[in-house]
Amino acid sequence: EFNEDMMRHHNEDNFEDVLGKALRGTGIADGVLEFLTGVPEETIAKLKDGEFEEDALRKVASPLGLDADTLVERAKEAWTPEPVDLEGLCQYNTVYEDMTVNNYLVWDPTSREAALFDTGTDAGRAIGLANELDLKLTQLFLTHTHLDHIMDRAAVEAHNPEVKTFVCALEPAAGATRFQPGDAFSVGTLRLSTRLTKGHSPGGTTYVINGLARPVAIVGDALFAQSMGGGMVSYQDALATNRAELFSLQDDTIICPGHGPMTTVGEEKAHNPFYPEFK
């Protein structure tokens, strides 16, 4: 039986998801990978199906640009991120088919101004907390416009007729206020800057929030705990924009992904196989 609580604390991607994203992204065929590594195509096929063979997994990591140690660590499920507890930030997991998708309520404890980041499939609990804490929810920021992230937009806008929905101008979204990457916003005394983290989607945007006890980066599907979003538009852009825009943030910055648990920049430097240069 699919159980949301089971999903909540699990990293979004297994090692075979990481492997698949790297294979598709680099365009390296299994036969070429066999030639480069000596690992037979049959074994590569097993790895892609989630059959863990440590020696083979270590051999294929490097030509795909992946760090072998943390890829094996993911396969062994030997690491999970530290739980995050920050006043002014709440993550909600919502169910979408056989997975979960996150939305985030962020508020300024001083002015009680609040903003929602993505809607997931059900913004009800986020709206409920805003009501309970007597917060003024006036802004909805979209990281990108894939269906699972925006499904409950109408309910959020209906909750408060003053709600303004914002989206990067490079993303398709009707009726939202469009902005250019780099534009800044505020939620009460909190400052929001926008960074283009494209590659999974054309205008995927990370919102960096300053003013709470720690910096927060709401990254959509740019980065996950020990993984990243698939490079549906461009794998190279996804890697490059994450390197430039996310890994340049200070290490204690909380990463709030579209799927899976929250993590930090420092944790991803240490544990994310897609970014071997930080190991």
Side-chain angles (χ1 to χ4, degrees):
E1 174 69 358
F2 173 73
N3 177 326
E4 186 187 340
D5 284 322
M6 281 170 19
M7 301 284 292
R8 179 169 303 151
H9 304 294
H10 284 66
N11 291 5
E12 168 69 7
D13 283 349
N14 299 320
F15 83 87
E16 64 269 27
D17 298 314
V18 172
L19 191 65
K21 285 174 179 181
L23 278 163
R24 289 190 299 274
T26 56
I28 295 174
D30 292 4
V32 175
L33 195 58
E34 173 178 354
F35 173 75
L36 293 171
T37 61
V39 175
E41 272 194 65
E42 306 83 83
T43 308
I44 293 168
K46 283 181 182 171
L47 289 173
K48 283 160 64 173
D49 278 343
E51 283 185 49
F52 174 50
E53 287 190 32
E54 181 165 347
D55 185 51
L57 191 60
R58 285 186 178 280
K59 284 180 178 157
V60 299
S62 180
L64 295 170
L66 298 172
D67 174 69
D69 288 344
T70 53
L71 186 57
V72 167
E73 178 184 68
R74 174 79 288 260
K76 292 179 172 175
E77 300 192 0
W79 174 79
T80 47
E82 288 295 312
V84 170
D85 185 12
L86 181 71
E87 188 190 6
L89 171 67
C90 197
Q91 179 196 61
Y92 294 96
N93 307 95
T94 67
V95 175
Y96 181 70
E97 293 175 355
D98 61 347
M99 56 188 249
T100 64
V101 54
N102 300 327
N103 59 12
Y104 296 89
L105 187 69
V106 173
W107 68 95
D108 170 21
T110 317
S111 69
R112 322 299 288 169
E113 292 279 334
L116 189 65
F117 293 82
D118 291 344
T119 69
T121 57
D122 178 8
R125 283 181 298 161
I127 289 171
L129 183 67
N131 290 340
E132 191 184 315
L133 297 179
D134 199 23
L135 305 175
K136 193 165 186 248
L137 178 57
T138 55
Q139 296 175 104
L140 168 62
F141 293 97
L142 304 178
T143 59
H144 62 304
T145 54
H146 291 164
L147 181 62
D148 50 329
H149 293 261
I150 62 168
M151 271 179 89
D152 215 22
R153 180 181 157 190
V156 179
E157 292 171 340
H159 158 72
N160 177 358
E162 289 174 41
V163 165
K164 273 184 90 165
T165 299
F166 296 91
V167 69
C168 175
L170 300 167
E171 284 283 307
T177 302
R178 308 173 84 72
F179 63 82
Q180 296 299 325
D183 285 357
F185 300 92
S186 60
V187 179
T189 63
L190 309 181
R191 294 177 310 288
L192 254 69
S193 58
T194 59
R195 295 178 172 222
L196 184 63
T197 41
K198 65 177 183 175
H200 174 74
S201 66
T205 299
T206 289
Y207 298 92
V208 179
I209 301 160
N210 285 291
L212 297 172
R214 287 166 65 186
V216 171
I218 301 198
V219 302
D221 290 356
L223 196 67
F224 302 139
Q226 272 193 321
S227 188
M228 58 184 267
M232 296 185 188
V233 177
S234 165
Y235 180 69
Q236 296 309 328
D237 279 354
L239 284 171
T241 57
N242 281 348
R243 287 189 159 108
E245 304 296 351
L246 298 184
F247 285 91
S248 57
L249 296 166
Q250 63 190 61
D251 282 357
D252 69 339
T253 304
I254 296 166
I255 299 276
C256 298
H259 306 273
M262 293 183 278
T263 172
T264 66
V265 170
E267 285 178 318
E268 293 313 303
K269 282 180 178 174
H271 297 281
N272 196 311
F274 284 103
Y275 302 91
E277 68 269 33
F278 299 109
K279 308 301 179 266

